[in-house]
Amino acid sequence: MIIIGEKINGTIPSVKAAIERKDADYIAALAVKQTEAGATYIDVCASTAPEFEIETLKWLMDIVQNATDTPLCLDSPNPRVIEAVFKYANKPGLINSISEEGDKCEVLLPLLEGNSWQVVGLTCDNKGIPSDVETKVAITKIMVEKAAKYGITPDRIYIDPCVMALSTENNSMLNFAEEIRQIKALYPTIHVTGAISNMSFGLPVRSLLNKTCMAFAMEAGMDSAVIDPLNRDMMGTIFATYALLGQDKHCRKYSKAYRQGQIGPVK
C-alpha cells in the first residue's frame, strides 16, 4: 500500500496552531513519526490565507525535508502555489493535484515532463464532483490523455475518485469500488488513491466505517490511500486485508508487522 501521510495539513487544528506560532519542532516530529509508521509520501498542505500560502508551504517543505528523506506530496487547491514551490523540493515526489477543474492540468502537467515526479488526479471538473461512476471514469480518461502529451505514463498517475460521504450518498462505497475496478481495467498500471475518511463523514464510530471501507477498496484494487499512518487500527486493517486477499505470501508481511510492533497491542 502506497501511503500518503495526511498529518501535516493546516486544516488540522493542532497543525494550524503550529503554523501560526512557527513551531518547526512540532512539524518535524510529525514528519518523522509518519515516516517511521510507514508513510511512502508526506503530504504538506498549508491551508492558510492565499497571500501567505506560498511562503507557508515552502516553510513546511523545508522542515520536512530536513527531518526525513521521505518524498513530499505537494498539496494545494491552487495550482500556481504548487508551481511556485515546486523548485524547492529536493527530490521527485507527488503533486496533489490535477483535475478537470479550471486550468490545473495545463499549469501542473508541464512540471512533470522529463522527470520522475508523479501526480494525483481528482475526478472532478468545473461542474463539481460527479456522483455517477461513468462521469468519473470519463474524467479519468481525459486526464490520462492530457498527461500522455507530456510523456507522463499511467503508472505515474494516482487517480482519486473523490470518495463521497456515506451519510449523503447511500451507494457511496458501492460506487467507489466500481470506479476503482473500471479505472484499473482501463489502465492496469495506474494507481488509485483516496481520502478514506471522507466515507464516514457525519456518522458515529467513524473508525469502524473507515477500516471497513479500506478493506472493500483494497479488494476492488485500490493500492494507495491518504491516511494517518499513525493510526494502528487502520494500518492493521491494511496488513490483514493483504493477507486475506492472498497477496501476502505465507502472511510474512503481516507477521513481520506484528513482530516489529506496527500492529496489535502496543508493546
Side-chain angles (χ1 to χ4, degrees):
M1 175 65 64
I2 301 167
I3 296 171
I4 304 170
E6 66 180 4
K7 297 289 285 181
I8 302 178
N9 190 310
T11 61
I12 300 172
S14 59
V15 176
K16 180 181 179 181
I19 290 172
E20 290 173 348
R21 65 177 183 266
K22 293 294 181 183
D23 189 345
D25 290 342
Y26 182 86
I27 301 297
L30 277 180
V32 172
K33 288 176 182 177
Q34 290 184 95
T35 295
E36 292 175 347
T40 316
Y41 297 94
I42 302 292
D43 189 86
V44 284
C45 182
S47 295
T48 56
E51 60 268 29
F52 302 119
E53 190 177 4
I54 293 174
E55 173 191 342
T56 304
L57 189 53
K58 181 184 180 301
W59 179 74
L60 292 172
M61 291 170 63
D62 289 343
I63 294 168
V64 174
Q65 291 182 132
N66 286 331
T68 177
D69 290 331
T70 304
L72 299 174
C73 175
L74 304 180
D75 189 351
S76 173
N78 185 343
R80 284 170 176 78
V81 169
I82 295 177
E83 183 183 38
V85 302
F86 181 77
K87 60 186 176 184
Y88 299 115
N90 61 18
K91 67 173 65 176
L94 264 176
I95 284 179
N96 189 9
S97 58
I98 60 169
S99 69
E100 275 303 285
E101 181 185 15
D103 59 356
K104 290 184 176 182
C105 284
E106 289 69 28
V107 173
L108 296 178
L109 287 177
L111 299 178
L112 281 72
E113 188 172 18
N115 56 49
S116 59
W117 275 83
Q118 302 184 71
V119 65
V120 176
L122 305 181
T123 56
C124 57
D125 56 20
N126 291 324
K127 297 178 182 177
I129 300 174
S131 59
D132 62 293
V133 175
E134 293 74 18
T135 304
K136 289 186 176 182
V137 173
I139 291 173
T140 296
K141 290 180 182 178
I142 294 171
M143 289 190 291
V144 170
E145 289 169 2
K146 286 185 176 181
K149 295 177 182 178
Y150 297 94
I152 304 163
T153 49
D155 60 297
R156 293 172 58 194
I157 301 172
Y158 290 65
I159 294 297
D160 182 345
C162 299
V163 178
M164 306 296 286
L166 189 64
S167 57
T168 60
E169 174 54 62
N170 196 57
N171 290 326
S172 179
M173 183 68 242
L174 297 175
N175 288 344
F176 183 37
E178 183 60 25
E179 288 149 14
I180 295 168
R181 292 190 182 98
Q182 290 195 25
I183 290 168
K184 293 291 284 186
L186 278 172
Y187 308 105
T189 62
I190 210 165
H191 301 287
V192 179
T193 192
I196 293 296
S197 60
N198 288 355
M199 181 66 68
S200 63
F201 184 79
L203 292 169
V205 199
R206 294 187 65 183
S207 62
L208 180 59
L209 288 166
N210 293 342
K211 289 183 294 182
T212 308
C213 172
M214 175 66 81
F216 275 110
M218 289 174 64
E219 192 278 332
M222 188 181 75
D223 62 349
S224 172
V226 183
I227 60 171
D228 174 8
L230 305 181
N231 185 325
R232 293 172 62 85
D233 288 342
M234 180 60 82
M235 295 300 288
T237 296
I238 292 171
F239 282 108
T241 302
Y242 273 130
L244 291 166
L245 290 175
Q247 297 174 13
D248 180 7
K249 190 174 182 179
H250 303 307
C251 301
R252 288 170 181 163
K253 292 180 180 178
Y254 181 86
S255 299
K256 182 180 178 181
Y258 174 73
R259 290 194 304 271
Q260 293 182 343
Q262 288 180 276
I263 63 174
V266 177
K267 298 180 180 179

